[in-house]
Amino acid sequence: MLSIIIPLFMLSTLTNANPLFTYCFNDAINYTANSQFEDNLQQILQWLPSNTSVTGFYTNSFGDGADRVYGEALCRGDVTPTICQNCIKIASQEVLNGCRSEEKIIWYELCQIHYSFQNFSSLMVYTGKYPDSNSLEKNVSNPSHFNEVLMYLMDNLSSEASFTPSKRMFAVGEIKFSKSSIYGLVQCTPDIKESDCRSCITFALGDLKACCQGRQGGIVVSRNCNVRFELYRFYNATSMSLTYPSPAGGKWKIGMVVAVTCISAFVIAVLSVSYVVYIRWKKGGQEGRNFLPNQSSTTDPSACDMTVSSISPR
């Protein structure tokens, strides 16, 4: 049922979506309208939708010299090719609005586009952003323990995405918390190294703590990686299921200690009472024997003689 509902929800989200965040790089100059740079940018943006939908990731460049434009697009790892293509198409149109910076990134919930005047291989500096939607999330009860469980989940997902080639730097999972579950997602752009993916997610999780500690959900987006968590299943993919070990193990150990202590105390009490009862019973039996008549006094020969003599005839 979820495999049907979630894609429909994605389509609805995509149709009515606004960008999560748009970032214009301050260190990049603005391009001029109708310039060669703008023509090259529009060309690379036309390539992105159909090419990205094939594998969920695409990068290329167009033009020469100072007007050359590098473009990159990423779809979330659980979306269909159709949803991916539609999302990139919408992002390609929207990224042209607003500032005319020669480097810019636009993020949607299901995809992102990054273009630049410089090669992406030289852009490994982390640039995490917090979408405004994070502030709309409600707070959770017991936030300290919640954050421990959340980070346990996200750290495991980070390792899964970074160092499992079959995952293609995308991982989702869930973990039990109280009476509900926490659902998490991490993703890196597939063009970076495993160690860089891990480092990027580590920085992003630091930002996630800063923006969303104690919240029921949150997302951090960046140039090369994204992280997100919710208290509902928001993705359409097979996920790993985890159990947080420390609280459950601690409670089990405390319970066992209490049980053993109580049983030991009960056994000692029973033995003590039984011993006291036995001692009293034994003492009482001894005193009873001391009150019995002396059998040897009834057979005194002198007594018999006195009786006989008193009734003898004269």
Side-chain angles (χ1 to χ4, degrees), residues 34-178:
N34 301 317
S35 63
Q36 186 61 51
F37 185 93
E38 184 179 50
D39 290 343
N40 294 340
L41 173 59
Q42 290 179 344
Q43 181 62 51
I44 197 72
L45 291 175
Q46 290 178 10
W47 289 353
L48 293 180
S50 59
N51 286 286
T52 306
S53 65
V54 177
T55 62
F57 176 76
Y58 180 74
T59 182
N60 208 335
S61 64
F62 189 83
D64 299 306
D67 293 321
R68 188 173 187 177
V69 180
Y70 297 84
E72 178 182 271
L74 175 72
C75 284
R76 210 172 75 182
D78 60 326
V79 303
T80 64
T82 300
I83 293 177
C84 176
Q85 182 170 347
N86 289 337
C87 186
I88 297 298
K89 184 177 181 180
I90 293 172
S92 297
Q93 296 167 352
E94 182 65 28
V95 78
L96 293 173
N97 296 329
C99 73
R100 293 179 176 273
S101 173
E102 289 192 348
E103 184 168 6
K104 189 174 182 179
I105 307 179
I106 186 169
W107 292 273
Y108 281 82
E109 183 176 339
L110 303 179
C111 69
Q112 68 185 58
I113 285 179
H114 178 196
Y115 74 78
S116 176
F117 65 95
Q118 54 187 330
N119 196 325
F120 295 127
S121 61
S122 62
L123 303 178
M124 288 307 301
V125 179
Y126 174 75
T127 54
K129 303 300 174 186
Y130 320 145
D132 294 336
S133 58
N134 291 334
S135 62
L136 303 178
E137 296 286 353
K138 297 179 180 179
N139 293 330
V140 297
S141 58
N142 195 0
S144 178
H145 180 49
F146 179 87
N147 290 323
E148 290 177 0
V149 176
L150 171 62
M151 286 301 118
Y152 178 80
L153 169 65
M154 302 305 281
D155 285 340
N156 277 273
L157 292 180
S158 175
S159 298
E160 187 80 1
S162 301
F163 304 114
T164 305
S166 61
K167 297 293 184 179
R168 299 189 72 253
M169 295 189 173
F170 172 81
V172 292
E174 61 185 276
I175 190 169
K176 289 291 184 181
F177 175 76
S178 187

